[in-house]
Amino acid sequence: TQLLEQSPQFLSIQEGENLTVYCNSSSVFSSLQWYRQEPGEGPVLLVTVVTGGEVKKLKRLTFQFGDARKDSSLHITAAQPGDTGLYLCAGEGGTSYGKLTFGQGTILTVHP
Amino acid sequence: GAGVSQSPSNKVTEKGKDVELRCDPISGHTALYWYRQSLGQGLEFLIYFQGNSAPDKSGLPSDRFSAERTGGSVSTLTIQRTQQEDSAVYLCASSFERGISYEQYFGPGTRLTVT
């Protein structure tokens, strides 16, 4: 069974601060996806990382996939209140059809 | 274009009743997934469809849960004799193979409350 440990579970910061969310596993994943979910809505895909060591940037968000494809991180620079939400990492691997294993999520609150 | 839609958005039912949850995937997406999300938590995989067949039903919690997909499109998740522990948000996602990674697009979910 593949497991993804996501940390921290809760993060409450002031506008303008930086933060990092971690996603760790003992399993190798063929790809890892990051989602953001707002209350009452489904998760929205932010990025997919596929190659070990890969770094992707999406405006103030930087995503990194570990060299061994077992871990990933999401770094947000100068957080804004609009970044508030539930962030989920999800690993794909072990099947041929994209079955995802989700981390427990990080609830981020950015205060103005 | 239209995204994944789910209905109803909210469902309150009495313990012991049956419920049906519907998912309309993005047109052309061959893969469809059902997940369950408990309050503030990550998503728990339930079942995967490729076309109308379900090669992986490993996440269904009990035999009270079943799902079908018709015409390679709409899917229905049925929960029989609902229990209070079935209360959760049920999310549907669809995808098509994209390079070497499946990227899943989620609907807004159905919030099920069993009283």
Side-chain angles (χ1 to χ4, degrees), chain A residues 9 30-31 33 35 37 40-43 45 47-48 50 86 88 92 95-100 102-105 107, chain B residues 31 33 35 37 40-45 48 50 55-56 58-59 91 95 100-109 111:
Chain A
Q9 188 175 358
S30 56
S31 72
Q33 302 174 17
Y35 292 82
Q37 185 178 20
E41 299 181 6
L45 180 66
V47 78
T48 301
V50 176
L86 174 65
L88 296 158
E92 179 195 339
T95 69
S96 62
Y97 53 83
K99 178 178 179 179
L100 294 177
F102 279 84
Q104 289 299 94
I107 298 175
Chain B
Y33 312 79
Y35 295 88
Q37 185 175 31
Q41 300 225 331
L43 280 67
E44 172 191 13
F45 169 83
Y48 155 74
Q50 180 59 256
D56 189 349
S58 62
L91 289 155
S95 75
I100 58 174
S101 173
Y102 287 76
E103 294 184 339
Q104 297 185 22
Y105 296 84
F106 284 82
R111 180 174 296 279

Side-chain angles (χ1 to χ4, degrees), chain A residues 13 26 29 31-32 35 41 47-48 56 60 63 66 79 81 87 91 105:
Chain A
I13 62 172
S26 58
F29 292 99
S31 72
L32 199 136
Y35 292 82
E41 299 181 6
V47 78
T48 301
K56 281 192 174 179
R60 295 175 293 101
F63 304 86
Y87 289 81

Side-chain angles (χ1 to χ4, degrees), chain B residues 70-81:
Chain B
T70 55
S73 180
V74 172
S75 176
T76 303
L77 176 68
T78 301
I79 309 173
Q80 295 179 312
R81 304 181 303 281

Side-chain angles (χ1 to χ4, degrees), chain B residues 3-38:
Chain B
V4 177
S5 62
Q6 291 185 247
S7 61
S9 54
N10 282 285
K11 177 71 177 178
V12 180
T13 190
E14 292 180 354
K15 177 181 172 181
K17 295 285 181 69
D18 297 352
V19 295
E20 284 190 354
L21 312 180
R22 176 187 168 107
C23 172
D24 272 285
I26 293 172
S27 177
H29 279 192
T30 56
L32 187 147
Y33 312 79
W34 282 97
Y35 295 88
R36 180 167 70 173
Q37 185 175 31
S38 300

